[in-house]
């Protein structure tokens, strides 16, 4: 019997119109060129004949792939058709190579039965799902052991494919070996599940198929299901068990292609289906659910294929730099105040959420059919209790007894979530299906119903874990139906490195943090917030404010202002009293105030605290805003909250609380200076009186107001024996602040701040706070608080190198500007972020300084460039506060001119702004190169 060939099924007529195979590869013409080339080769030289084959196929394959990619750019969302045609192209090349090897390279016109092999595609290639740079997995199926001729055929086939620069995985096995290895290894079994005959001995391939289904698959349903689900859980745990990772793995991540493939594998294993569509007839999915399956699968395949094209290789993680390119290829554009990439990622996350819903539905149907082993029963006694509101427990989950009766009262669409919290049961997917299909029942009457308001508020306030109910309500669309204003932020991505989650997931995370504090789980980490909640605040106001704090995002206007306007409408609908509504509106409007004040201003300046206290007005608002701020920062993502931010917020809270209780007049520079001097005298009581009087008298007032007593003590000791030409350095890690304090004393001269900033940048130290003062006898006292790249104290074992770099910089051995020139390149993944530069001048925020705020893209050496520009303009920097938010940084400088005055004139401010912008632009151009 002659060898047989099969190729992957082609798309329907509409798909072939978009991806016409005749324009992609002319197989007959390619075969003719190869025959002509082989006619010139020595028939007895297999290596030369292989080279001739490769020389003809390689350019044809390159041109075909380029033509197919060009077609895909015109139909960027028709991924199913693209993948099918790409699999067809791979089949054409593979079967051509296999035929040529057996007929032209190692001709054997009368093979024995043991030499009649079958070549099968397995894995993703077996499914005929080939992304541009997917691996080609082949199984060479032999009747018995591998003969010498068969070994030559396999070897030459692989050499040709490798020379074509294709990534090939392969195995050579008999049918018995396939069954034995498949039984032992579930990964091999899964690959065999998706085998597809390509070339050769078709009866042998059919024998494998028959024996797999009768001898292996049919007897191991439950084992296979459990293994694939365990594999899925392990995969999620390894990559990140969260659907809203902002750089998701499209193939392996939660809600990705592998989750859909797992459903298909299980269905195929149990029911021998060839297409996911067959799951509808089998009762696993409803038609509209299959449509969602197909839509999600097509979208994810489009994303994956565009990623491969952009990268020129197989990549599966949708990194920030790829997101922009994929969004452009798929036709997303900027509109509505948001970038095209943000609209694209919102669609991505909505599809990922739908994949999760489909997975739950499928697995529950498996449980109902007793294929998947049910989980251990939880709350066993609850199974025997009579449930309220027409609910019942099925498979240890909450389900609906009679859908018609249940839906007769729309409030039941909310009650079921509270019952789930009360009983501890998860929702049954049948109930989830029912809710998702009947969201239209939650209309205006339901939203404005006092009973609905009470149910929703109880969900947040009464059961200790509101995040569980809110997350499930959000995934099913119930939250957006009950609060239509919330729908706009569902799956909304913020295209920056700082925010780890989508806006809706961030909102649920901050509410989860508040619940944790209330449960007493964060007393050590968050002592102030824990104490505030223990002493008592209006919980209703706090939870509603957190729920609404980012609801204005995604539009051109300031989201705090817009959010406050939305809160003014929503809060009354949730049953809050007028005074509570006003407080919620104020909290949403100013939810960034405390974080911005603490991180972007010098809170040792009495004016900063005084202005903040004037805005807050009452202790009640201060307490509420403090807890909201803590939850908001912690909800941004892992590692965002640290001891430095905690220290700043505690200091601001403490001083504002004192001012609100004892009067704003307490906040003045004279009081601060007198208190600081008394504290130093107490700390240095063993010093001779004359020396102590000299130390207290050598500093101006800002020095006493701007530094804590321990730092005053350090400087006192450093100044005690300083020589005119020496540099005294004291480096001290402060883990309680997540920073290292670096103190320097030396003779004062212009540009000193810039030189320190340059030296610190050269050793990889990130400055978070800095103060420089000049004594009356001409010494500069500079204090910097620095962190490493991870936001932790600069390591002690790196401090000697830091000390050496400072000494070399001030000795003139190292010029920071020159050394930094090659070190400030922007990482590829960060280039896609747009960070516009904003520069502002404020003469009201401090009594004696002009505050210059520079908001721009961060990069190594930026602070050095800015401070050098200020020094060249004869501007003296008294202090600097640096707040970093991913690739964005806000550098705030408290400055005077060379005469010790504020920068009052508009013309001077504008001239300085031009110089700062020029420095930023020059650095950005250098970093981009």
């Amino acid at each position: 019997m002659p060898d047989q060939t099969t190729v992957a099924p082609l798309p329907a007529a509409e798909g072939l119109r978009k991806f016409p195979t005749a324009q992609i590869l002319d197989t007959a013409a390619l075969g003719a060129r190869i025959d002509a080339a082989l006619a010139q080769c020595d028939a007895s030289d297999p290596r030369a004949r292989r080279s001739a084959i490769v020389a003809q196929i390689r350019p044809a394959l390159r041109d075909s792939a380029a033509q197919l990619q060009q077609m895909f750019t015109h139909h960027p969302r028709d991924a199913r058709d693209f993948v099918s045609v790409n699999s067809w192209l791979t089949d054409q090349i593979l079967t051509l190579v296999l035929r040529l090897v057996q007929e032209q390279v190692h001709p054997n016109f009368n093979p024995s039965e043991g030499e009649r092999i079958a070549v099968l595609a397995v894995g993703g290639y077996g499914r005929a799902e080939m992304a541009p740079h997917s691996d080609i997995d082949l199984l060479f199926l032999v009747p018995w052991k591998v003969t010498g001729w068969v070994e030559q055929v396999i070897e030459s086939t692989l050499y040709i494919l490798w020379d074509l620069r294709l990534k090939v995985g392969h195995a050579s096995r008999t049918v018995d070996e396939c069954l034995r290895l498949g039984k032992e290894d579930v990964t091999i079994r899964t690959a065999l599940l998706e085998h597809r005959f390509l070339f050769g001995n078709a009866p042998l391939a059919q024998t494998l198929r028959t024996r797999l289904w009768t001898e292996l698959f049919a007897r191991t349903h439950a084992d296979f299901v459990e293994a694939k689900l365990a594999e899925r859980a392990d995969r999620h745990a390894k990559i990140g068990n969260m659907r809203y990772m902002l750089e998701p793995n499209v193939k392996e991540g939660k809600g990705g292609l592998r989750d859909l493939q797992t459903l298909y594998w299980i269905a195929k294993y149990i029911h021998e289906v060839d297409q996911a569509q067959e799951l509808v007839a089998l009762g696993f999915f409803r038609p509209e659910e299959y449509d969602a399956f197909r839509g999600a699968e097509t979208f994810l395949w489009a994303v994956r294929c565009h990623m491969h094209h952009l990268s020129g290789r197989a990549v599966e993680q949708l990194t920030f730099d790829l997101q922009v390119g994929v969004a452009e290829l798929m036709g997303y554009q900027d509109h509505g105040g948001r970038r095209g990439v943000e609209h694209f990622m919102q669609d991505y996350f909505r599809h990922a959420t739908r994949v999760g819903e489909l997975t739950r539905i499928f697995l529950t149907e498996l449980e109902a059919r007793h294929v998947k082993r049910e989980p251990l029963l939880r709350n066993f006694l609850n199974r025997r209790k009579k449930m309220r509101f027409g609910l019942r427990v099925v498979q240890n989950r909450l389900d609906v007894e009679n859908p018609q009766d249940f839906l007769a009262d729309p409030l039941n669409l909310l009650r079921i979530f509270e019952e789930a919290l009360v009983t501890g049961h998860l929702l049954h997917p049948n109930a989830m299906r029912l809710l998702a299909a009947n969201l239209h029942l939650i209309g205006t009457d339901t939203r404005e119903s006092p009973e609905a308001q009470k149910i929703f508020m109880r969900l947040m306030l009464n059961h200790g874990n509101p995040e569980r109910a809110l997350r499930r309500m959000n995934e099913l669309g119930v939250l957006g139906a009950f609060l239509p204003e919330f729908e706009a932020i569902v799956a909304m991505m913020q295209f920056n490195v700082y925010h780890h989650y989508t806006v809706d997931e961030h909102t649920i995370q901050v509410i989860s943090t508040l619940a944790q504090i209330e449960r007493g789980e964060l007393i050590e980490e968050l002592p102030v917030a824990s104490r505030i909640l223990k002493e008592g605040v209006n919980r209703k106001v706090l939870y509603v404010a957190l729920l609404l704090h980012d609801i204005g995002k995604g539009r051109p206007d300031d989201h705090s202002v817009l959010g406050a306007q939305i809160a003014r409408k929503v809060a009354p609908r949730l049953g809050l009293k007028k005074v509570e509504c006003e407080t919620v509106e104020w909290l949403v409007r100013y939810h960034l105030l405390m974080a911005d004040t603490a991180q972007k201003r010098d809170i040792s300046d009495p004016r900063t605290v005084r202005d903040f206290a004037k805005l807050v007005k009452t202790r009640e608002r201060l307490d509420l805003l403090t807890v909201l701020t803590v939850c908001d920062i912690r909800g941004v993502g892992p590692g965002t909250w640290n001891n430095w931010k905690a220290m700043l917020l505690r200091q601001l809270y403490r001083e504002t609380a004192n001012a609100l209780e004892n009067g704003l007049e307490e906040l003045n520079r004279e009081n601060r200076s007198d208190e600081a001097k008394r504290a130093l005298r107490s700390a240095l009581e063993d010093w001779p009186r004359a020396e102590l009087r000299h130390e207290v008298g050598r500093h101006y007032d800002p020095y006493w107001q701007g530094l804590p007593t321990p730092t005053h003590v350090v400087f006192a000791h450093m100044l005690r024996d300083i020589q005119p030409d020496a540099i005294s350095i004291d480096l001290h890690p402060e883990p309680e602040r997540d920073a290292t304090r670096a103190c320097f004393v030396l003779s004062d001269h212009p540009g000193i701040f810039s030189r320190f900033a340059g030296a610190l940048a050269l050793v990889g130290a990130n400055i978070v706070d800095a103060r420089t003062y000049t004594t009356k006898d001409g010494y500069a006292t500079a204090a910097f608080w620095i962190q490493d790249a991870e936001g932790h104290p600069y390591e002690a074992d790196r401090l000697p190198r830091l000390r050496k770099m400072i000494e070399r910089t001030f000795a003139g051995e190292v010029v920071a500007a020159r050394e930094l020139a090659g070190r400030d390149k922007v990482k590829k993944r960060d280039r896609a972020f747009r960070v516009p530069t904003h520069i502002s001048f404020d003469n009201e925020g401090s009594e004696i300084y002009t505050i210059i705020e520079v908001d721009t893209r961060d990069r190594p050496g930026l602070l050095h460039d800015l401070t050098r520009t200020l020094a060249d303009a004869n501007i003296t920097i008294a202090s600097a506060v640096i707040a970093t938010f991913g690739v964005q940084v806000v550098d705030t400088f408290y400055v005077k001119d060379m005469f010790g005055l504020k920068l009052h004139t508009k013309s001077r401010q504008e001239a300085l702004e031009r110089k700062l912008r020029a420095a930023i632009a020059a650095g950005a151009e250098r970093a981009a190169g």
Side-chain angles (χ1 to χ4, degrees), residues 820-836:
L820 284 168
R823 303 191 189 186
D824 55 0
K825 303 300 180 190
V826 175
K827 296 177 183 176
K828 182 182 178 183
R829 73 185 286 268
D830 294 341
R831 290 175 189 165
F833 298 110
R834 299 176 189 167
V835 185

Side-chain angles (χ1 to χ4, degrees), residues 547-567:
L547 180 69
L548 303 179
H549 78 285
D550 275 347
I551 205 163
K553 281 196 168 177
R555 295 147 207 181
D557 303 317
D558 184 330
H559 83 276
S560 299
V561 175
L562 186 57
Q565 295 169 359
I566 295 172

Side-chain angles (χ1 to χ4, degrees), residues 558-851:
D558 184 330
H559 83 276
S560 299
V561 175
L562 186 57
Q565 295 169 359
I566 295 172
R568 190 183 307 157
K569 300 175 183 176
V570 173
R573 282 212 319 264
L574 296 178
L576 273 65
K577 300 173 185 175
K578 183 179 179 182
V579 66
E580 292 174 329
C581 293
E582 291 172 353
T583 304
V584 167
E585 182 182 345
W586 185 89
L587 286 169
V588 174
R589 170 65 183 87
Y590 292 105
H591 74 272
L592 295 175
L593 174 65
M594 191 170 194
D596 283 349
T597 301
Q599 296 179 81
K600 300 178 184 178
R601 289 293 181 265
D602 181 358
I603 56 177
S604 68
D605 188 326
R607 174 69 72 86
T608 300
V609 180
R610 193 157 61 238
D611 289 349
F612 176 71
K614 285 179 180 177
L615 271 173
V616 173
K617 289 187 171 63
T618 68
R619 177 63 182 268
E620 177 197 15
R621 282 185 174 180
L622 176 64
D623 287 347
L624 290 167
L625 183 59
T626 300
V627 177
L628 184 149
T629 302
V630 169
C631 294
D632 192 16
I633 295 175
R634 284 182 68 95
V636 167
T640 305
W641 178 263
N642 57 30
N643 287 341
W644 179 258
K645 291 174 184 172
M647 179 274 300
L648 293 174
L649 289 172
R650 287 171 195 160
Q651 181 180 342
L652 181 58
Y653 173 82
R654 185 174 58 249
E655 296 193 13
T656 307
N658 181 57
L660 290 173
E661 289 174 7
N662 300 316
L664 297 181
E665 60 275 3
E666 289 287 309
L667 293 171
N668 62 69
R669 292 182 171 276
E670 292 73 19
N671 287 350
R672 285 263 181 101
S673 296
D674 291 343
E675 290 170 6
K677 291 173 183 176
R678 281 196 298 270
L680 182 65
R681 291 190 186 100
S682 176
L684 300 179
E685 59 184 2
D686 58 333
W687 274 35
R689 183 170 296 181
E691 286 190 52
L692 186 54
R693 187 164 51 248
H694 176 64
E695 173 59 27
V696 170
R698 77 194 309 174
H699 300 285
Y700 297 102
D701 279 348
Y703 172 85
W704 299 109
Q705 297 146 9
L707 295 171
T709 299
T711 308
H712 288 149
V713 171
V714 169
F715 276 130
H717 286 289
M718 294 171 73
L719 285 161
R720 195 175 191 182
D721 302 312
I722 188 73
Q723 299 299 312
D725 297 326
I727 301 176
S728 181
I729 304 174
D730 179 86
L731 305 172
H732 179 67
E734 295 184 347
E736 71 281 0
R737 292 185 173 211
D738 270 339
T740 292
R741 184 192 65 211
C743 291
F744 309 100
V745 173
L746 69 165
S747 294
D748 192 23
H749 56 272
I752 195 169
F753 196 113
S754 178
R755 298 178 76 176
F756 278 125
L760 292 169
L762 285 171
V763 294
N766 293 326
I767 302 169
V768 292
D769 201 349
R771 314 290 162 112
T772 59
Y773 305 100
T774 303
T775 65
K776 295 175 182 177
D777 51 348
Y779 286 101
T781 52
F784 290 75
W785 279 267
I786 58 177
Q787 296 177 331
D788 62 17
E790 303 301 318
H792 302 305
Y794 197 78
E795 299 92 332
D797 58 357
R798 296 172 67 187
L799 294 179
R801 179 168 173 252
L802 171 58
R803 184 187 298 271
K804 187 69 175 175
M805 182 60 71
I806 294 289
E807 291 170 348
R808 292 182 64 202
T809 299
F810 278 90
E813 298 174 20
V814 172
V815 179
R818 187 164 57 239
E819 295 292 326
L820 284 168
R823 303 191 189 186
D824 55 0
K825 303 300 180 190
V826 175
K827 296 177 183 176
K828 182 182 178 183
R829 73 185 286 268
D830 294 341
R831 290 175 189 165
F833 298 110
R834 299 176 189 167
V835 185
T837 296
H838 298 287
I839 299 176
S840 64
F841 293 80
D842 175 11
N843 281 313
E844 304 300 322
S846 175
E847 292 177 2
I848 59 175
Y849 300 111
T850 292
I851 303 173

Side-chain angles (χ1 to χ4, degrees), residues 60 177 376 412 444 504 536 540 607 681 755 799 857:
E177 287 172 333
L376 290 174
N412 286 336
T444 303
D504 56 332
K540 189 185 296 186
R607 174 69 72 86
R681 291 190 186 100
R755 298 178 76 176
L799 294 179
R857 173 189 280 278

Side-chain angles (χ1 to χ4, degrees), residues 243 254-256 296 300 347-357:
R243 199 167 290 113
K254 192 167 187 178
L300 292 172
D347 282 352
Y348 179 93
F349 289 123
R350 291 192 176 199
H351 279 297
T353 300
R354 195 71 178 112
V355 170
E357 293 173 21

Side-chain angles (χ1 to χ4, degrees), residues 175-185 216:
V175 173
D176 286 340
E177 287 172 333
C178 288
L179 266 69
R180 176 175 56 81
L181 293 171
K183 186 176 182 180
E184 295 171 357
D185 188 324
L216 179 58

